[in-house]
Amino acid sequence: MEEEIAALTALHVSLDQRPRPEDVAALVVKALPKKLGVRQRNMLRRVANTASRWHGETSMPSDFARPVGGARQVAAAERLFELSATGVDAEDPAALRTFAEEAGTPMGAALGRLDFLNDRLDRNSRSVAGIELSKRQYNRRFRLLRRIEAKASTLDNERRKRSLALVARAGQASSIGLGQFLADPDAACFVAYYTAKRKLRREFTLSGRDNSYDQIAELLFKRCLGNPATDWWMIAQAYPAPEVLHRISEARRGELLGRWFASMRQVGELLSEVWEASDFNRETMIVRAGNDSSTWNLFTGAYNTARAGWLSCLAGCEALDLLDVFCPGKSMLLIAGDLAAWHDRDGSGRHPDTGVWARLPLPWRVLDGREQCTRADVLTACAEAKVDAVKSGWVTPRPAGAVGWFRPTPELVHGVAVADPAWADLLRKAGVFSGKAVRVPPETGGQPPRR
């Protein structure tokens, strides 16, 4: 029993990370040792065994990048201000700001008023305030407070980006508590495996992404269907499919609907900021020099996931008629120029949704009420762009695709699959596939790696 709980706890931790699906499958076998049938156990073990390729080595990080906290700045403040920082959480922006406020109060400095030219106290002002510090010591402390304030703002932004990356890849799954997770092992295993599949990095290919709902996800989902005590609310936060939403209460569907809409508005504001500060070609959405494609694509992924969840909940609440008066469109990813050229050579051209996106009001302008977009507007744009509005998920939840087949996680270098982890590390160090000049690492003996 202890091993089962340990495995389930590790699966819960994985919701906030980026494990390979095969690693998750290995934990599922440990979490459900006496509950699996022979066929189920064999299928899961075959998948889990692929984790030991190359002796278990992989070049793929098992986590989303975590922001670096302010421990260095706090330690510097302890020395300079001669304060104790015991109990200060250097990973928490609010705690950093509180610490900076307490450190700055005796020297007449306050957060938000730390402009080096305009907000410093001169010698007379310091004397009146009873601040017995030399100009040099005062300036050093003032600069450090500015750095702590800047670090708190950066930490806020990076934490928000990481949170949105999780929403883009795993929906609302990261909000599931450990107690709820441990209470239903079958549902927990499905959520952990399905979200691990969704978190896989995009591969540079013309065939599109594999369906995250593969035969292992289906195996685990069928176990949930066969359990009358399944916690469908937990599953709905990661997999808001019709067959799941119909099994939760109307109140829960309404709650999830509100959460998804709130996420759409939040991410829409961020998309607006990036859009206004950028020079994107809306007709092609091909990356140009100076475009911050990483940030844009992160926000777009989170927005489209939230929009898809919102549409699913509208359908589950039988409220799709709302789209007759309010139907914000999708956001489009920026595409690399070489991938766009590959599509052109292949004859597939740009993504069909790009034409719809270019014809509709920008979605964040619809969300904040500056422009209108209705279902009729979206249907018209889809017809002009020759896109099936239903199958492509513009006006209804996207229909479920065929169940996918498990494929071992590929070793990727900037989206290109390569043979093994060691080769991937070497290519990444050399800058291959990055669009920049190839560097020659010493491991190659002075020869650049072949592409």
Side-chain angles (χ1 to χ4, degrees):
M1 190 63 182
E2 289 184 3
E3 185 180 15
E4 295 173 33
I5 293 176
L8 284 169
T9 301
L11 288 172
H12 182 262
V13 171
S14 79
L15 298 182
D16 190 49
Q17 297 176 342
R18 202 174 199 175
R20 295 181 301 172
E22 47 265 49
D23 294 320
V24 172
L27 287 171
V28 169
V29 173
K30 294 178 180 179
L32 304 173
K34 300 176 182 177
K35 299 180 180 180
L36 297 169
V38 174
R39 177 176 173 275
Q40 293 174 336
R41 185 178 295 105
N42 288 340
M43 285 183 64
L44 281 163
R45 281 179 174 169
R46 280 197 297 271
V47 170
N49 288 341
T50 64
S52 61
R53 294 173 302 156
W54 306 303
H55 307 290
E57 295 181 6
T58 178
S59 68
M60 307 306 293
S62 60
D63 199 357
F64 292 95
R66 294 182 183 270
V68 178
R72 187 168 60 85
Q73 289 81 3
V74 170
E78 275 192 292
R79 295 191 300 271
L80 192 57
F81 287 88
E82 297 180 352
L83 293 174
S84 171
T86 303
V88 176
D89 184 358
E91 307 296 321
D92 181 7
L96 286 178
R97 292 189 178 99
T98 299
F99 175 69
E101 284 280 9
E102 293 173 352
T105 297
M107 56 179 285
L111 298 190
R113 298 196 304 275
L114 293 175
D115 183 84
F116 197 74
L117 294 178
N118 300 316
D119 294 326
R120 282 179 301 157
L121 300 179
D122 58 22
R123 179 169 25 176
N124 289 336
S125 298
R126 294 197 302 272
S127 178
V128 170
I131 301 172
E132 299 178 356
L133 289 172
S134 68
K135 179 179 179 180
R136 179 173 180 273
Q137 289 300 320
Y138 178 84
N139 287 347
R140 287 184 65 193
R141 287 164 172 77
F142 197 91
R143 289 191 182 95
L144 181 54
L145 291 175
R146 293 184 68 201
R147 289 199 294 272
I148 295 176
E149 182 181 46
K151 184 64 179 180
S153 297
T154 299
L155 194 54
D156 256 336
N157 290 334
E158 293 305 313
R159 284 169 58 138
R160 180 173 58 179
K161 286 183 180 180
R162 189 177 187 279
S163 174
L164 291 175
L166 286 168
V167 170
R169 300 305 183 122
Q172 307 281 347
S174 61
S175 65
I176 298 171
L178 178 59
Q180 182 183 15
F181 201 78
L182 295 176
D184 188 347
D186 283 328
C189 289
F190 169 78
V191 167
Y193 181 83
Y194 177 70
T195 55
K197 284 287 291 187
R198 290 203 60 197
K199 292 173 191 172
L200 287 175
R201 286 168 176 77
R202 292 184 179 273
E203 188 173 350
F204 201 66
T205 175
L206 293 177
S207 59
R209 290 177 66 89
D210 294 338
N211 188 355
S212 299
Y213 190 90
D214 63 11
Q215 77 261 41
I216 300 300
E218 184 179 51
L219 178 158
L220 296 171
F221 189 73
K222 285 182 175 179
R223 290 185 56 81
C224 297
L225 290 173
N227 182 359
T230 290
D231 184 349
W232 292 105
W233 169 238
M234 175 164 61
I235 294 176
Q237 294 175 76
Y239 182 58
E243 61 267 37
V244 176
L245 294 175
H246 290 159
R247 289 177 165 84
I248 63 177
S249 69
E250 185 176 348
R252 286 296 199 187
R253 287 197 295 270
E255 178 184 344
L256 199 56
L257 177 67
R259 284 165 61 177
W260 281 125
F261 187 71
S263 295
M264 286 174 63
R265 284 183 55 84
Q266 176 194 14
V267 186
E269 291 173 0
L270 299 174
L271 283 170
S272 177
E273 292 174 8
V274 178
W275 181 265
E276 294 299 329
S278 305
D279 180 26
F280 297 151
N281 185 332
R282 191 175 179 187
E283 298 294 326
T284 65
M285 293 304 287
I286 296 175
V287 176
R288 296 190 289 200
N291 291 163
D292 185 356
S293 59
S294 297
T295 299
W296 174 264
N297 286 348
L298 168 62
F299 292 166
T300 288
Y303 171 79
N304 287 337
T305 296
R307 182 182 184 274
W310 177 68
L311 283 177
S312 293
C313 290
L314 280 179
C317 294
E318 299 182 355
L320 283 174
D321 288 348
L322 175 64
L323 301 180
D324 290 340
V325 294
F326 180 79
C327 187
K330 301 179 188 180
S331 180
M332 288 303 299
L333 295 168
L334 284 168
I335 185 173
D338 44 3
L339 181 56
W342 190 14
H343 277 285
D344 287 340
R345 285 199 306 271
D346 183 69
S348 54
R350 66 178 182 173
H351 196 289
D353 280 353
T354 307
V356 184
W357 143 268
R359 288 173 167 82
L360 292 174
L362 295 168
W364 50 88
R365 296 181 67 88
V366 178
L367 286 165
D368 65 18
R370 284 181 287 172
E371 295 191 44
Q372 288 188 330
C373 185
T374 67
R375 189 207 312 255
D377 296 326
V378 176
L379 290 174
T380 298
C382 286
E384 292 174 352
K386 297 180 173 55
V387 170
D388 188 316
V390 173
K391 290 183 179 179
S392 58
W394 279 95
V395 294
T396 62
R398 186 188 292 272
V403 175
W405 289 93
F406 171 79
R407 185 166 64 101
T409 303
E411 300 292 323
L412 301 179
V413 180
H414 296 291
V416 179
V418 298
D420 61 57
W423 185 230
D425 282 336
L426 185 61
L427 292 175
R428 195 174 290 110
K429 289 177 183 176
V432 177
F433 307 129
S434 67
K436 301 177 183 178
V438 175
R439 302 182 297 275
V440 182
E443 297 94 324
T444 65
Q447 297 297 318
R450 295 180 179 178
R451 299 194 179 197

